[in-house]
Amino acid sequence: MSAASLAGEPLLRVADLRVEYRDGGPIPAVAGVSLTVSQGETVALVGESGSGKSTLAHAVLGLPGGGTITGGRIAFAGQRIDNAPARTVRAIRGARIGFVPQDPGTALNPVLRVGDQVAEALRIHGLATRRTGKARAVEILTTAGLDRPELRARQYPQDLSGGQRQRVLIGIALACHPELVIADEPTSALDVTVQRRILDHLAARTAESGTAVLLITHDLGVAADRADRIVVMRRGEIVESGPTAQVLGDPRHEYTRRLLDSVPTLHAEPRPPRPPTATPLLAATNLRRTFRVGPRTELAAVDEVTVRIDRGETLALVGESGSGKTTTARILARLERPDAGRITLDGRDVTGLRGGALREFRRRVQVVYQNPYASLNPAVSIGQSIAEPLRAFGIGDRRERVAELLEQVALSPELRDRRPAALSGGQRQRVAIARALALRPDLVVLDEPVSALDVSVQAQILDLLEGLQRELGLSYLFISHDLAVVRRVSDRVAVMRAGRIVETADTATLFEHPGHEYTRELLAAVPGAVRELAMPERHSSEGVPVS
């Protein structure tokens, strides 16, 4: 137990913290924030993307690129660290404060095997040798919930799904048994079953060893289920804080009430079933894709998958991370070729398209990737990124179209000239959505399109996608682990597990009468708090309805 806890001092104390970015002039990101986290406590920090949540975390950790601290104090275990020497902060970071970063795609080294990166975290802090590090890495990957951990340890990050990479980062963060874990959107890429497993693991560690957790999240269901206290941030300031039941049951601030009203609901009326058309917009039959993951090991990422998407329809694809959803989407978008199977667009076989025909196919089928930062060129402005497909296809009036797209995805025109690094994760995702919509495609493949967005902006994006679908007759392949979002937006749902589709049904049937045991398991894993938050009427701690 730390000296700070013995003296009754919070494990982490942030007092009047002020942080600015210097991008063509001072840009305030954190404006006088004060909060505490005590030993064994879980505090959830919630708010819109761009509200300063991640900036605050980076300031506590002393990470480069996290802005400049211009005022206030940060103390950990009674020791001031905001002005401590860099070597002191490095010794604390990783060993005593674990960190789960928001973006798993850029946080892992692409040229090192996953197991070596886990072992490196142990060796740096003297908790393993080269001989013992590999075995400990496999143990950590097992604890973090990865299937076939011995195999995953030999793979590279790009061989894993986004959710699997997130689990690797969670394993690294917990490897050294830290006193505090700062988890920046740790479950945004995880399906509900793995989310529950990971959060159960964090809770068990808190109970056993007194590990504290600062949980940065836009998922109010996760915050309600897991946090002792909730702190609500908006535009760099704290607008409300208190015990979880109080903040969610009887919110005082208008912004908190707006966040709660934006939570997607499992009680929403699903779309009425659509009769299938004679010729689907896109169809695939018996797709198969295997990957070699070792000298004598092959992994069937997609195994005999058959799907159809009608014009104007949204087909949701759900399942655990690593189940083959993204690989299936990449095959359907002709970004990868299947080992076997057939794909048709408007009844025409497009499996073997090349050259100009393939280019025209890709104009009609656009993709929004799961990792917006990796899909945006860090050297060009977001305006240039959105205009890139317009320029590639020779479409004029690009400046006007870019302004229209920025407005559609709820981004300020002032952000047009900024580069991706100056935007929050949610803002970068909106840029990616705008770029995919630029060419007015027939089908948009949406790979976790709102997983990085807070609930209020998420609601705006879903409204946008639904409006565009009605207006333009767009079709969507919607990949998501958020079942409340899936219920709202989809006409039909396909459930995927271990490379195979185990169930396909219209949305109402699947949610109300799931046929497969795995589908029932997914639905049962949805946080109970999501169901409560989604009810039309909330109640205060005294049971009085809150308007």
Side-chain angles (χ1 to χ4, degrees), residues 261-281:
D261 289 341
S262 299
V263 174
T265 172
L266 283 175
H267 306 280
E269 189 67 28
R271 296 182 179 186
R274 298 166 51 100
T277 58
T279 303
L281 173 66

Side-chain angles (χ1 to χ4, degrees), residues 119-374:
E120 181 183 28
L122 296 168
R123 290 198 305 270
I124 286 173
H125 296 288
L127 297 179
T129 64
R130 288 192 177 276
R131 185 175 62 83
T132 62
K134 290 187 176 181
R136 283 284 296 122
V138 171
E139 292 175 11
I140 289 167
L141 294 177
T142 302
T143 304
L146 276 102
D147 65 319
R148 291 170 286 187
E150 295 87 355
L151 170 63
R152 303 305 179 191
R154 297 195 303 270
Q155 290 182 290
Y156 293 92
Q158 55 270 31
D159 298 327
L160 305 183
S161 71
Q164 289 170 324
R165 289 194 292 263
Q166 188 72 289
R167 280 175 271 174
V168 172
L169 292 174
I170 290 169
I172 291 173
L174 294 172
C176 298
H177 304 282
E179 298 159 63
L180 170 68
V181 173
I182 298 178
D184 191 354
E185 299 288 359
T187 60
S188 63
L190 303 181
D191 57 272
V192 288
T193 53
V194 177
Q195 176 188 91
R196 181 172 62 181
R197 192 183 312 147
I198 291 297
L199 293 174
D200 283 348
H201 177 58
L202 278 173
R205 285 288 303 275
T206 300
E208 291 169 6
S209 61
T211 302
V213 179
L214 178 59
L215 178 64
I216 298 171
T217 182
H218 64 264
D219 189 328
L220 292 178
V222 168
D225 261 10
R226 304 291 173 163
D228 301 301
R229 289 191 294 118
I230 290 180
V231 177
V232 183
M233 277 190 79
R234 186 189 188 197
R235 297 177 181 172
E237 299 180 345
I238 291 175
V239 298
E240 184 163 3
S241 66
T244 299
Q246 175 187 311
V247 172
L248 298 183
D250 188 15
R252 304 295 184 182
H253 197 277
E254 180 273 336
Y255 174 68
T256 309
R257 292 193 291 271
R258 182 149 51 90
L259 285 180
L260 289 169
D261 289 341
S262 299
V263 174
T265 172
L266 283 175
H267 306 280
E269 189 67 28
R271 296 182 179 186
R274 298 166 51 100
T277 58
T279 303
L281 173 66
L282 187 78
T285 308
N286 298 329
L287 294 180
R288 182 173 175 82
R289 183 74 167 95
T290 60
F291 294 95
R292 186 175 295 278
V293 294
R296 296 192 183 122
T297 307
E298 284 194 345
L299 177 68
V302 176
D303 192 4
E304 299 299 320
V305 165
T306 295
V307 295
R308 63 174 284 152
I309 306 171
D310 288 338
R311 188 172 292 277
E313 179 188 41
T314 298
L315 174 68
L317 191 58
V318 304
E320 291 184 351
S321 58
S323 62
K325 304 187 302 294
T326 296
T327 302
T328 298
R330 288 180 58 81
I331 292 171
L332 294 176
R334 281 299 322 274
L335 299 174
E336 288 190 26
R337 295 195 66 172
D339 300 327
R342 181 171 180 262
I343 307 167
T344 62
L345 182 69
D346 283 332
R348 177 190 173 198
D349 192 331
V350 296
T351 315
L353 289 184
R354 297 179 181 274
L358 180 59
R359 175 181 169 84
E360 175 58 23
F361 171 87
R362 288 180 176 161
R363 187 199 67 77
R364 296 183 63 189
V365 179
Q366 289 285 301
V367 181
V368 175
Y369 294 97
Q370 182 177 8
N371 182 355
Y373 190 74

Side-chain angles (χ1 to χ4, degrees), residues 401-464:
R401 178 67 175 142
V402 168
E404 176 187 344
L405 288 162
L406 285 171
E407 181 179 357
Q408 284 181 327
V409 297
L411 283 175
S412 167
E414 299 172 358
L415 301 179
R416 181 185 198 126
D417 296 322
R418 292 194 190 175
R419 297 187 180 183
L423 273 61
S424 70
Q427 288 170 325
R428 289 194 290 262
Q429 188 67 293
R430 282 177 269 170
V431 173
I433 292 170
R435 187 171 64 175
L437 296 175
L439 296 174
R440 296 186 171 92
D442 296 315
L443 171 66
V444 180
V445 177
L446 299 155
D447 191 352
E448 299 284 3
V450 295
S451 65
L453 304 180
D454 58 87
V455 289
S456 57
V457 177
Q458 179 186 93
Q460 294 172 20
I461 294 299
L462 294 176
D463 286 342
L464 166 67

Side-chain angles (χ1 to χ4, degrees), residues 107-126:
L108 293 169
N109 190 328
V111 300
L112 290 180
R113 295 182 191 275
V114 166
D116 292 338
Q117 297 190 56
V118 177
E120 181 183 28
L122 296 168
R123 290 198 305 270
I124 286 173
H125 296 288

